């Protein structure tokens, strides 16, 4: 019996900030893989790195941002890759960002936008991304995040 491999080598992070009127999510426009698509922060886990450390490193590398608080989103993004005939599962993290923080993009992205969750859900390309965004809005914006999901990075 043939099996489809399940791979977990990525971490995904949704950056959220609170303005005077709403919570906004950061989307980045990709320049390499999935060129031109809007996405959240994501990247490959390096040797010896915990997934949450990857999320923090990628946030810094891709945007120059540092979070006020980092949480496990208590969910994973999952998708099937036809070219690899494999299922990829990526743990998701939530970073709360100061409203005055400045985004500095690296070469992996050509543009960024802070948008409402409703706008973000319309901008992203994949159902898995939409499900993750809806989950984060429900569990981290509409509700107080569970204290047990807080990651102390110090």
């Amino acid at each position: 019996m043939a099996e489809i491999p399940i791979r977990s080598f990525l971490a995904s992070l949704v950056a959220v900030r609170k303005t005077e009127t709403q919570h906004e999510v950061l989307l980045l426009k990709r320049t390499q893989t999935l060129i031109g698509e809007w996405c959240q922060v994501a990247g490959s886990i390096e040797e010896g790195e915990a997934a949450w450390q990857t999320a923090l490193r990628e946030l810094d590398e891709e945007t120059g941002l540092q979070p006020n608080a980092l949480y496990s989103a208590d969910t994973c993004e999952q998708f099937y890759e036809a070219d690899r005939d494999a299922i990829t599962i990526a743990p998701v993290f939530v970073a709360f960002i100061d409203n005055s923080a400045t985004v500095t993009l690296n070469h992996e992205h050509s543009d960024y936008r802070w948008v409402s969750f409703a706008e973000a859900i319309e901008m992203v390309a994949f159902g898995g991304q939409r499900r993750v965004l809806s989950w984060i809005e429900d569990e981290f914006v509409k509700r107080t995040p569970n204290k047990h999901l807080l990651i102390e990075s110090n």
Side-chain angles (χ1 to χ4, degrees):
M1 170 171 58
E3 293 185 11
I4 299 172
I6 297 175
R7 306 164 5 131
S8 187
F9 63 94
L10 296 172
S12 176
L13 179 138
V14 176
V16 178
R17 73 176 184 182
K18 184 176 184 194
T19 68
E20 290 181 15
T21 59
Q22 67 183 351
H23 282 82
E24 296 177 329
V25 61
L26 179 65
L27 291 184
L28 309 171
K29 193 170 197 178
R30 300 187 60 86
T31 60
Q32 296 175 345
T33 58
L34 300 173
I35 296 168
E37 297 293 351
W38 289 97
C39 65
Q40 67 276 22
V41 171
S44 297
I45 299 169
E46 293 182 354
E47 189 68 35
E49 202 172 46
W52 65 267
Q53 292 170 320
T54 299
L56 281 179
R57 177 180 51 76
E58 291 289 339
L59 178 66
D60 181 50
E61 289 176 4
E62 295 182 9
T63 69
L65 296 173
Q66 300 296 319
N68 292 331
L70 178 70
Y71 289 85
S72 164
D74 197 27
T75 193
C76 291
E77 188 173 356
Q78 57 190 25
F79 49 92
Y80 173 74
E81 295 178 275
D83 60 334
R84 292 186 173 103
D85 192 29
I87 296 168
T88 297
I89 297 175
V92 179
F93 300 89
V94 181
F96 285 95
I97 307 296
D98 187 85
N99 190 28
S100 64
T102 302
V103 174
T104 304
L105 293 179
N106 70 1
H107 66 280
E108 297 175 56
H109 304 94
S110 61
D111 197 6
Y112 74 91
R113 291 190 192 156
W114 287 102
V115 297
S116 69
F117 276 87
E119 290 172 286
I121 286 167
E122 293 303 316
M123 291 172 68
V124 296
F126 302 104
Q129 291 172 298
R130 290 187 283 280
R131 286 187 292 277
V132 163
L133 288 168
S134 293
W135 171 264
I136 290 171
E137 183 179 29
D138 287 346
E139 297 296 324
F140 290 86
V141 173
K142 293 178 180 176
R143 303 172 63 107
T144 301
N146 185 305
K147 65 182 180 181
H148 299 292
L149 298 175
L150 180 65
I151 297 170
E152 299 290 343
S153 59
N154 296 341

